[in-house]
Amino acid sequence: ILARIREWTIEQQEERDASVAIGDNDVPHLPSAIPSNLSYRDFVSAADCADVNVLLLVMSSILFRSGNAHFRLKHFETACRDYSSAQSYQSIRTKALSNHGINESLVIEDAKLNGRVRNNMASALSKRQLYEEARAEYTKALQIKQSTLEALHKTTRQKGDSVKDMDDKNLVSDIASTFHNIGLLRLNCDEAAKAEKAFKQSLSLRVKKFGLDDLRVSSTLNALGGLYYKTKRYDDAFRSYKESLRIWKLNGSKSDLQ
């Protein structure tokens, strides 16, 4: 992708040089020094070209996945760098889109990715015990995801269509995951009441959208059980763990949980 953007930059330079006054033999000047490295200005220029702009979305997506890989390897600082780079490419791209005709479907895909990047950035920051920074990223992730869901419903209504069930479920699942992660962060900060509220918000969304027997419901019930156990509410902990275990057993044949 970087090679393609570099080629585009060279092509643009050649066009600029060709438009400069030519010599006696009407031969265009050769391009000035071919860039071996791309500058911020090059990316901003590329973002203004519709054909190249979409490559920045792909770049953000690749960096997001790279961050996820480092996260799983517990390389949390490296994961944060990848997530931050993904945000930078996304920012350049959306700034250019705001100055041109906007493709609504791509804007929504951008927003979905941005929400996921911020959520996972917050998780990596939390693992590094940078709790205030993580809290800010989770808040932004939640705002983006909720506004994206609203935009999706608004766009489909304007077109006279209905929201695809899978698109709706994926976004609701993303929102519920962020609430769940906020609960874990609050628990790490010894804010039990706020953690319980976040877990219950996640649980409510998951039950409403996926039903009582979904593994995501089991995950949040398990987290609630841990919270109740930590705060010595043993009866509540027992009930949460018991229901979580019931759902897990029900889905055992379809789950890779150990």
Side-chain angles (χ1 to χ4, degrees):
I1 292 170
L2 289 172
R4 175 65 193 97
I5 295 174
R6 186 176 290 111
E7 288 172 6
W8 181 88
T9 304
I10 294 168
E11 290 166 7
Q12 295 302 301
Q13 185 62 52
E14 288 174 342
E15 289 180 11
R16 285 193 293 270
D17 288 344
S19 67
V20 175
I22 56 177
D24 294 336
N25 297 323
D26 289 341
V27 177
H29 292 301
L30 292 173
S32 52
I34 294 174
S36 57
N37 294 307
L38 290 163
S39 67
Y40 177 81
R41 184 177 297 175
D42 292 326
F43 285 110
V44 172
S45 298
D48 282 326
C49 173
D51 292 337
V52 186
N53 183 295
V54 72
L55 293 178
L56 300 183
L57 174 60
V58 179
M59 198 69 165
S60 292
S61 182
I62 291 170
L63 285 162
F64 172 61
R65 285 162 174 76
S66 175
N68 291 346
H70 285 297
F71 187 95
R72 293 189 186 98
L73 292 168
K74 300 183 179 181
H75 301 161
F76 300 120
E77 187 173 349
T78 306
C80 284
R81 283 201 296 269
D82 284 343
Y83 294 141
S84 180
S85 296
Q87 288 175 345
S88 296
Y89 284 112
Q90 193 269 345
S91 176
I92 294 170
R93 172 179 160 73
T94 52
K95 190 178 294 184
L97 284 175
S98 66
N99 298 325
H100 302 286
I102 297 177
N103 183 317
E104 289 292 343
S105 62
L106 279 180
V107 169
I108 288 174
E109 288 304 313
D110 257 339
K112 287 179 184 176
L113 179 60
N114 192 20
R116 289 167 184 161
V117 170
R118 288 192 177 279
N119 179 83
N120 291 15
M121 167 73 95
S123 296
L125 289 168
S126 183
K127 291 292 186 181
R128 295 172 62 193
Q129 298 184 343
L130 300 172
Y131 296 130
E132 287 305 313
E133 292 90 334
R135 194 191 307 268
E137 287 295 324
Y138 276 137
T139 299
K140 291 174 185 174
L142 197 56
Q143 291 170 345
I144 291 167
K145 291 177 179 183
Q146 289 173 328
S147 63
T148 304
L149 184 60
E150 291 171 6
L152 179 64
H153 282 270
K154 180 180 178 181
T155 301
T156 50
R157 278 198 307 271
Q158 289 174 344
K159 293 179 179 178
D161 298 330
S162 58
V163 178
K164 291 180 181 178
D165 188 53
M166 186 56 69
D167 288 339
D168 187 63
K169 282 187 173 181
N170 285 341
L171 277 168
V172 171
S173 180
D174 276 356
I175 293 169
S177 294
T178 298
F179 274 124
H180 181 100
N181 292 339
I182 289 171
L184 294 175
L185 175 64
R186 296 290 194 184
L187 192 57
N188 284 335
C189 296
D190 294 321
E191 300 172 354
K194 291 180 179 179
E196 183 179 8
K197 180 181 178 181
F199 285 140
K200 285 185 173 179
Q201 286 172 306
S202 174
L203 185 64
S204 175
L205 287 170
R206 287 174 166 174
V207 170
K208 186 181 295 184
K209 185 58 65 175
F210 305 106
L212 289 167
D213 297 331
D214 189 84
L215 276 170
R216 284 161 285 204
V217 174
S218 174
S219 175
T220 302
L221 284 168
N222 183 62
L224 271 170
L227 182 150
Y228 293 143
Y229 185 85
K230 185 176 181 178
T231 54
K232 300 181 179 180
R233 294 164 59 181
Y234 299 122
D235 289 342
D236 290 334
F238 178 79
R239 282 191 291 270
S240 293
Y241 281 138
K242 184 178 179 180
E243 180 62 9
S244 175
L245 184 60
R246 180 196 70 78
I247 298 168
W248 180 80
K249 285 181 176 178
L250 187 66
N251 289 273
S253 60
K254 297 181 286 184
S255 170
D256 61 356
L257 290 172
Q258 299 295 322

